[in-house]
Amino acid sequence: MTPRSAAQEAPAQEAVSRAVGRRATALAGLSSIADVAAVAQLVTTGSDAGVLVAGLLSVLAGFLGLIQLTGRPVGLSALAMALLIAIAAGMTGAAVHGYWTGAGTAAGPGRGATSTTTTPSGSPTTTPSGSTAAGSVTAVAPGAVVRTGTTSLRDQDYLDVETGRIGEVEPGASDLWYVGGYRELWTSGGGKLPITPVATPPDAAACADELARRSYDQVAIGPLDPGAWLCARTAEENLVAVQVTAIPTGDEPLVITYTVWHK
């Protein structure tokens, strides 16, 4: 066979170069879209999961784009890829750090949250997060009010409604768990205890009836109206009615008022 001349090889090399450039441009576009999605997640919902997924996708697309440009002179395309990778890596690191710190320090006493509780006698008591107001647990008769209170729950906060204590999960004591990234209120133990929305302000008997008919492991807070009511069973098998006083957005805390009745 006759060797191909330089004039014959030039168009083929140019076509390959254009194809490589198109692939690199497409990957750069995908990386840019993923970066924008990560920023949007961070600004609108503060979801570490969304930022992490979008950041990893951007890093992967950026590296694949750089691979496409291997062997070519360093130009604007390669610099753009490197910049996209750096931005994505930073957001991914921030999301991983959020998971790490959220798991280790969620709602501990050092967060400084407070809960305001009211005993059946009507005297309000404000207690630091992680502490219990003396004398706030008062009733033992079946159906009697054990505690009423108002509190703010941040992402990954666990609440023991009988004592008003907020902190990390305490088996056999924690009753409600707020997942701020998804704006969901769970019962502790990953939803082992029943919880359900109710249409009107309930008493102990109404809560018991609703939980006998409908039992969920969690309730989405976002679709609810301000002032909506929920009923749940506590770890001590008591009943609790929860009123959502305001619907949080982003990383705002969930503010609730609740009443606990003895089983």
Side-chain angles (χ1 to χ4, degrees), residues 61-188:
F63 272 119
L64 291 176
L66 282 180
I67 291 173
Q68 294 293 319
L69 298 174
T70 300
R72 305 183 71 180
V74 176
L76 291 178
S77 297
L79 292 176
M81 288 293 186
L83 178 62
L84 290 172
I85 291 172
I87 295 173
M91 288 187 294
T92 302
V96 171
H97 180 265
Y99 273 121
W100 184 267
T101 56
T105 62
R111 289 179 67 169
T114 61
S115 60
T116 302
T117 60
T118 305
T119 65
S121 63
S123 59
T125 305
T126 301
T127 61
S129 173
S131 65
T132 304
S136 59
V137 179
T138 59
V140 294
V145 174
V146 176
R147 185 186 188 90
T148 61
T150 298
T151 192
S152 296
L153 300 177
R154 296 190 177 277
D155 184 30
Q156 302 303 316
D157 273 348
Y158 286 85
L159 170 65
D160 178 0
V161 296
E162 283 86 3
T163 65
R165 184 167 52 243
I166 300 173
E168 297 179 356
V169 61
E170 297 181 29
S174 298
D175 305 302
L176 299 176
W177 172 36
Y178 181 53
V179 183
Y182 298 98
R183 290 189 295 168
E184 295 174 344
L185 190 63
W186 290 67
T187 54
S188 63

Side-chain angles (χ1 to χ4, degrees), residues 56-67:
L56 289 174
L57 178 60
S58 180
V59 170
L60 177 61
F63 272 119
L64 291 176
L66 282 180
I67 291 173

